[in-house]
Amino acid sequence: MSQVASSVSTLNVDLGERSYPIHVGAGLLGDPRWLAPYLAGRQVMIVTNETVAPLYLAAFRAGLPEGLEVREVILPDGEHTKTLSSVERIWDALLEAGFNRRCTLVALGGGVIGDMTGYAAACYQRGVAFIQVPTTLLSQVDSSVGGKTGVNHPRGKNMIGAFWQPRAVLIDTASLASLPARELSAGLAEVIKYGLIRDADFLAWLEARMEALRGLDEAVLREAILRSCAIKAEVVAADETEQGVRALLNLGHTFGHGIEAHQGYGAWLHGEAVGTGMLMAAELSARLGWLSREDVERVAAVIEAAGLPLAAPAAMDEEAFLVPMRLDKKNIDARLRLILLRGVGEACVYDETPAELLRALLMDFPRQ
């Protein structure tokens, strides 16, 4: 990770005065040019975890500009650590170091680290700067972009949080070389999602290149990241706080969050649960008459090709899905709102699903 970034592509999330760039390239972690412009002051707190720190912390620190006061917090790894107590450790470190309102938090890691660091930044002294440096595919294409921050609660995923935009997102594609195959597949779920909800041509592109993606072909991964981030940036710019179109980015998440909560956070990776959730959404869309059986089979095929599960956990009955679904943040006035597909590449928010149709799907869907 000591190489200097030679070729970097940049996208922009257009949010007026809160706009920020997404830089994508190999070698960004060791190149201070890509971080320095976004630091609020001299004080920098790096937040990472016990898995990422041995891999990238030294390289990242070596690439920081000179003259900074740098501290670090190394948290345990795993979705089960995404709690208020972990965020309190970040606040404790900031207070012990005497960091002021011109400090900058840097999230070095996957989606859990990014979400917690962003939430810590949103709350510390009522809001300080933070920068996302995502090291997993899932965080690079999804959670690092858009300003959703927060922690889990035993009754629901991401139920405590805030919208707080980063100053920049620095995506070093070289970090994916250390990613376990299961984590890579989990990230591909979110990439597939973008094709399903908004870009049928991108989905076809992915179907033709899934082997290359899973084989860590740098050029193909880079293009997939750029196209995914471009779609998310466009959606976030149109609806920053999820009052409308941004909800479409949650395809599969209502079902998936139910799986995560029931199994215990971390037993299923987020992307694994979302992959199964997207297939459940596709099946429900077909039962509503919007997708053909061939469309559903196509969705199942691309999810399977990515190395993701096609069945829900054996221990989950329909009520185990419905309880967390009723708590979903998208619901309004007790109406269950689902993200479904009117066609491949065309998602919608739907709150009129007949209860008996949903229960039938939950009863019939395969278990493993």
Side-chain angles (χ1 to χ4, degrees):
M1 298 300 299
S2 61
Q3 74 270 30
V4 172
S6 56
S7 177
V8 176
S9 300
T10 299
L11 302 169
N12 194 58
V13 181
D14 187 5
L15 294 171
E17 64 182 18
R18 295 183 312 287
S19 297
Y20 56 91
I22 307 168
H23 298 305
V24 183
L28 269 67
L29 286 180
D31 189 340
R33 293 176 299 171
W34 301 103
L35 184 75
Y38 311 109
L39 298 175
R42 292 184 55 258
Q43 297 174 326
V44 176
M45 180 69 72
I46 305 168
V47 184
T48 187
N49 66 34
E50 293 169 350
T51 299
V52 175
L55 296 170
Y56 303 121
L57 181 55
F60 182 77
R61 289 197 65 145
L64 290 173
E66 295 182 359
L68 300 176
E69 180 185 355
V70 182
R71 305 291 178 89
E72 60 197 42
V73 179
I74 301 176
L75 299 172
D77 193 10
E79 183 78 27
H80 66 282
T81 70
K82 192 176 172 184
T83 63
L84 279 174
S85 61
S86 292
V87 175
E88 285 176 357
R89 288 184 56 179
I90 302 173
W91 291 328
D92 288 344
L94 290 164
L95 290 166
E96 289 169 7
F99 274 26
N100 59 41
R101 285 181 172 174
R102 297 196 67 236
C103 70
T104 305
L105 278 64
V106 176
L108 177 63
V112 171
I113 287 294
D115 283 6
M116 291 194 296
T117 303
Y119 186 51
C123 297
Y124 185 66
Q125 299 198 24
R126 298 186 176 86
V128 297
F130 92 109
I131 296 169
Q132 290 271 22
V133 186
T135 59
T136 66
L137 181 60
L138 191 147
S139 60
Q140 290 177 354
V141 301
D142 186 60
S143 60
S144 67
V145 178
K148 278 188 177 181
T149 72
V151 297
N152 298 331
H153 186 276
R155 293 182 179 272
K157 185 177 173 70
N158 295 328
M159 295 302 288
I160 301 168
F163 288 97
W164 192 251
Q165 301 294 342
R167 284 198 165 198
V169 180
L170 309 181
I171 297 175
D172 191 335
T173 55
S175 67
L176 299 179
S178 63
L179 200 63
R182 186 182 171 197
E183 293 275 1
L184 183 71
S185 291
L188 288 171
E190 296 286 1
V191 177
I192 292 167
K193 174 193 74 178
Y194 292 114
L196 287 174
I197 67 169
R198 205 170 176 88
D199 192 338
D201 290 341
F202 182 38
L203 182 67
W205 185 91
L206 292 169
E207 290 170 320
R209 292 163 178 82
M210 193 58 70
E211 184 176 349
L213 288 164
R214 296 184 70 184
L216 294 175
D217 182 296
E218 201 277 333
V220 176
L221 277 169
R222 181 190 180 108
E223 181 65 18
I225 292 167
L226 285 168
R227 292 179 73 165
S228 297
C229 287
I231 292 171
K232 182 154 192 185
E234 178 184 276
V235 172
V236 170
D239 179 20
E240 181 180 2
T241 58
E242 200 171 297
Q243 303 302 307
V245 68
R246 183 167 178 171
L248 300 180
L249 296 172
N250 291 310
L251 176 70
H253 287 59
T254 303
F255 297 106
H257 287 171
I259 293 173
E260 290 182 271
H262 182 270
Q263 295 298 100
Y265 295 120
W268 278 50
L269 297 179
H270 176 66
E272 292 171 335
V274 167
T276 299
M278 289 192 297
L279 184 55
M280 297 178 80
E283 176 62 33
L284 183 56
S285 300
R287 295 187 183 202
L288 286 165
W290 299 341
L291 294 185
S292 67
R293 294 314 310 173
E294 290 76 15
D295 290 332
V296 177
E297 290 168 6
R298 181 183 178 190
V299 174
V302 71
I303 289 171
E304 184 176 33
L308 296 163
L310 299 178
M316 289 190 73
D317 60 17
E318 61 270 24
E319 199 61 27
F321 274 101
L322 287 170
V323 169
M325 289 173 75
R326 294 184 186 116
L327 294 173
D328 190 86
K329 297 185 293 298
K330 295 186 297 300
N331 297 342
I332 295 177
D333 297 332
R335 295 177 69 91
L336 181 63
R337 303 172 81 219
L338 297 173
I339 310 306
L340 300 177
L341 297 171
R342 290 194 177 273
V344 174
E346 183 186 355
C348 68
V349 180
Y350 193 65
D351 64 1
E352 299 179 8
T353 303
E356 63 275 13
L357 191 66
L358 177 59
R359 279 193 174 270
L361 166 74
L362 296 175
M363 290 177 63
D364 298 344
F365 196 79
R367 303 300 201 268
Q368 65 179 18

